[in-house]
Amino acid sequence: MYSIGLDIGTTSAKAVLFSKANEALDSCEAYYPLIQEQPGYAEQDAEVVFEACLLALEQLHTKHKITNQITAFGLSAAMHSLLAVDENGKPLINALIWADNRSAAIINELKQTDFYQDFYKRTGTPIHPMSWIGKLKWFNQNNQVVFKKAAKFISIKEYICQKLFGEYVVDEAIAGGTGVYHLTTKQWDQDILNYIGVNREKLSVIVPTTYEFTKRTSRGKQALPYSNCRFIIGASDGVLANVGTFALTSDVATVTIGTSGAVRMHTKQPSTDLEMRTFCYALTEDDWIAGGATNNGGIALQWYIDQFAKGEKTVDIIKEALTVPPGANGLFFLPFLNGERAPYWNPDTRGAFIGISATHQRAHFSRAVLEGILFSIQSVLAALEETIGPVKAIHASGGFARSEEWVQMLADITGKRVRLPQSHHASALGAVRLAKHALGIESLTENSEVGPTVNFEPFQKHVHTYASVFHTYEKLYQSLEPVFPEIIKQQQVNNNIIM
């Protein structure tokens, strides 16, 4: 009796095989590029992503001849992607992902109105270019050919589900990330649709995260040749990370850092923030996940390595960073290379090294980058504690969790105990656990975690140091916030000159 979780991420698709006891037995991963042809653009080729999903699954099947023993299958996917398809389901464009900022001007204009706060309260999705509000309005204003020709506007996950199961449906968690899903009615918000100029018929049918597919397309039968399996739609990777790390209690937060990063907490009712710093997405009928996401997780570290340490391994950069003390001798890194989401929700932010002196060596820059990424996480955690309540412990997941040194740094910066589960495939495990919950096999509140976990206690000396450093980090952002629009203008001028 085995289960498979398929996790569709920003740069790769992972098929993970789990035992009956939820132990991760094996995983296969297929990569695809992030397409950034213009400043502010961030796209995926939907068909390339789909083929990567098929490849990951095929590799898993080849290694393990147990297709007739797979009994549960669940899906996880990154949020906020937007794809336009024609009446035959063929993509008209590349999918715009969460990091796409082309609608920044539209969002800034919306923020000047009297109703943008109401949009946030209705949907729990902060007003930001990541959401469909800006993306769809951008197409309505700038690409009428695509806007009029589109038979459906869907996410990458919906595209893959349609290819495998032949249905245009979207789970409530993915729908929640669009900024068009109403938290209370659990349907598409008609007032927001009117503002965007989109007919409800062009969107998929909203279904619970426990929805079961009962049919497979011919392509689906080839990709999923499981004769005794039941297929559950699942949810978004964010909410599933809480499920996969067994973090569905009120005083535990999850921190996930992969390409991007996020902090999340479980709540039993929809929760929004008066300052609009956090999001709230549905998990099940009685479970919600509130939190905030940063655009600049591992992608910021990879940028640093590509530009200043090309050819070197991440593990070596982290070891180098540890040769200098916490605070990097007064060198700060604001990691806003792709604008920023929580807690600022400002697409105009830009990255910066601040405090450079002649005494700083590359190790200081390496440490400043690692700390800067975690400071952005801490800023989200602080906002979330104000909104939901105090956090006693953090459950960590994502690629960064493979580095115990970086995880220890998180404990020191947040001042919280950090628990590292045996498997870092949190979202894939969450998809499997949700599938089993939907089938009545397992309760989401059941703590049946397999294997040993590692706990990281904060070093109090470092906690004190980082409290002061983080305070300066926040002041640096506040000081630079008025200048970011001027920087954007200069970058646009330079780009036009180059073109």
Side-chain angles (χ1 to χ4, degrees), residues 261-310:
V263 186
R264 306 176 200 85
M265 290 179 67
H266 172 259
T267 176
K268 297 300 290 185
Q269 60 186 5
S271 175
T272 55
D273 174 33
L274 291 176
E275 297 182 40
M276 298 182 288
R277 294 169 296 178
T278 59
F279 58 64
C280 185
Y281 302 136
L283 172 56
T284 68
E285 182 70 24
D286 301 313
D287 299 285
W288 305 79
I289 301 297
T294 167
N295 278 1
N296 305 281
I299 195 172
L301 175 58
Q302 191 59 54
W303 167 84
Y304 173 74
I305 293 173
D306 289 344
Q307 300 303 321
F308 304 104
K310 188 164 290 185

Side-chain angles (χ1 to χ4, degrees), residues 10 78-81 96-100 130 135 259-260 295 341:
T10 302
M79 308 184 81
H80 314 301
S81 59
L96 283 60
I97 68 164
W98 52 267
D100 195 281
M130 70 178 185
K135 290 173 178 173
T259 305
S260 59
N295 278 1
R341 287 186 281 175

Side-chain angles (χ1 to χ4, degrees), residues 56 81 87 96 102 113 131 154 194 203 244 266 369 410 412 467 496:
S81 59
E87 57 187 9
L96 283 60
R102 73 186 66 182
T113 67
S131 80
I154 59 176
N194 292 341
L203 305 183
H266 172 259
V369 169
L410 174 66
D412 296 343
N496 289 333

Side-chain angles (χ1 to χ4, degrees), residues 184-478:
T184 305
T185 67
K186 297 189 174 183
Q187 297 298 323
W188 300 119
D189 188 296
Q190 190 57 54
D191 289 339
I192 297 177
L193 289 178
N194 292 341
Y195 171 79
I196 299 169
V198 173
N199 294 325
R200 185 185 297 260
E201 293 72 24
K202 289 197 172 186
L203 305 183
S204 295
V205 175
I206 299 172
V207 297
T209 58
T210 53
Y211 179 81
E212 181 177 2
F213 293 108
T214 57
K215 297 179 181 179
R216 284 166 289 168
T217 62
S218 57
R219 196 79 183 271
K221 290 177 181 178
Q222 292 175 354
L224 308 169
Y226 317 136
S227 55
N228 300 308
C229 184
R230 296 173 70 177
F231 304 93
I232 304 301
I233 193 169
S236 62
D237 55 359
V239 302
L240 288 176
N242 282 66
V243 179
T245 56
F246 298 82
L248 294 182
T249 56
S250 60
D251 59 353
V252 173
T254 62
V255 168
T256 304
I257 303 179
T259 305
S260 59
V263 186
R264 306 176 200 85
M265 290 179 67
H266 172 259
T267 176
K268 297 300 290 185
Q269 60 186 5
S271 175
T272 55
D273 174 33
L274 291 176
E275 297 182 40
M276 298 182 288
R277 294 169 296 178
T278 59
F279 58 64
C280 185
Y281 302 136
L283 172 56
T284 68
E285 182 70 24
D286 301 313
D287 299 285
W288 305 79
I289 301 297
T294 167
N295 278 1
N296 305 281
I299 195 172
L301 175 58
Q302 191 59 54
W303 167 84
Y304 173 74
I305 293 173
D306 289 344
Q307 300 303 321
F308 304 104
K310 188 164 290 185
E312 297 189 45
K313 296 180 179 179
T314 301
V315 64
D316 294 327
I317 295 300
I318 294 175
K319 286 181 180 179
E320 177 185 73
L322 295 175
T323 63
V324 299
N329 193 25
L331 179 62
F332 289 83
F333 176 62
L334 302 187
F336 312 131
L337 305 181
N338 300 287
E340 190 50 295
R341 287 186 281 175
Y344 311 117
W345 301 103
N346 184 355
D348 289 343
T349 55
R350 287 297 180 266
F353 283 105
I354 302 173
I356 303 171
S357 75
T359 63
H360 287 126
Q361 302 174 359
R362 198 184 73 169
H364 294 94
F365 285 85
S366 297
R367 178 139 200 154
V369 169
L370 296 176
E371 292 177 344
I373 293 169
L374 295 183
F375 286 149
S376 72
I377 292 292
Q378 170 62 11
S379 65
V380 179
L381 178 62
L384 197 56
E385 286 192 283
E386 290 179 21
T387 305
I388 303 298
V391 171
K392 292 184 179 179
I394 292 172
H395 293 185
S397 65
F400 101 109
R402 302 176 191 180
S403 168
E404 293 189 0
E405 295 85 356
W406 207 3
V407 174
Q408 181 64 55
M409 199 178 294
L410 174 66
D412 296 343
I413 287 175
T414 61
K416 316 286 186 185
R417 183 180 75 253
V418 178
R419 189 179 66 78
L420 195 62
Q422 184 185 47
S423 173
H424 61 271
H425 299 297
S427 295
L429 175 56
V432 162
R433 292 196 66 219
L434 182 58
K436 290 182 175 181
H437 168 75
L439 301 176
I441 299 172
E442 182 177 321
S443 168
L444 292 183
T445 58
E446 180 182 343
N447 189 358
S448 56
E449 189 167 6
V450 175
T453 60
V454 181
N455 290 318
F456 295 80
E457 298 293 340
F459 297 138
Q460 291 306 313
K461 181 179 179 181
H462 293 173
V463 171
H464 178 74
T465 298
Y466 277 129
S468 175
V469 175
F470 176 67
H471 179 67
T472 304
Y473 167 90
E474 288 193 307
K475 289 175 67 177
L476 288 172
Y477 170 80
Q478 293 163 3

